[in-house]
Amino acid sequence: MITYTSDVSDLTEGDLAGFFAGWPQPPSAAQHLAVLRGSYRAVVARDDGRVAGFVNMISDGVLTAFVPWLEVLPEHQGRGIGAELVRRILAEGAHLYSIDLVCDEELRPYYERLGMTALTGMGVRNRAACG
């Protein structure tokens, strides 16, 4: 059974194995844990205690937020976990003016089904910062 929590205080680096499949340079487990603990909000999905997915939000806490990561372990994908994580993180920021995220073009329909609108964005990636 999948359970969801916004409490990440009990997470350990070992709980976060297997994420970032296909990333050219994934963050280390220590970085991953620090990001979740340092986020404005984070929601974790657990399947019988094992972390199956997570989403996090960074924010000024007043008007704006950004959702940098949504990840579901490959063996748990296709079960609605990601959609539920997005619904929950958007609910956590419902009082804010804007919540933005950046995704690859093929993921636009996924986020549009969850009520998000396509925007134009720009970014820089420093893969050397991970690991």
Side-chain angles (χ1 to χ4, degrees), residues 14-130:
D15 292 326
L16 302 174
F19 288 100
F20 306 103
W23 278 45
Q25 180 62 44
S28 69
Q31 288 174 316
H32 184 178
L33 183 58
V35 164
L36 292 178
R37 287 188 175 159
S39 293
Y40 175 71
R41 299 283 189 270
V43 181
V44 173
R46 291 185 180 264
D47 186 8
D48 291 325
R50 180 176 182 223
V51 176
F54 67 90
V55 64
N56 71 307
M57 174 186 285
I58 56 178
S59 176
D60 58 23
V62 179
L63 290 175
T64 62
F66 182 74
V67 177
W69 287 347
L70 167 66
E71 290 277 330
V72 176
L73 290 174
E75 63 270 23
H76 286 82
Q77 292 176 4
R79 297 172 52 193
I81 295 169
E84 184 61 22
L85 287 167
V86 171
R87 279 191 282 278
R88 287 172 182 257
I89 205 73
L90 292 178
E92 296 256 354
H95 64 286
L96 300 169
Y97 169 74
S98 66
I99 301 173
D100 300 326
L101 67 79
V102 176
C103 66
D104 293 333
E105 182 70 26
E106 64 269 14
L107 293 174
R108 275 184 51 187
Y110 176 82
Y111 290 107
E112 287 170 342
R113 283 191 301 272
L114 297 170
M116 300 191 87
T117 303
L119 303 169
T120 301
M122 303 297 291
V124 173
R125 298 290 183 265
N126 176 7
R127 288 177 172 47
C130 293

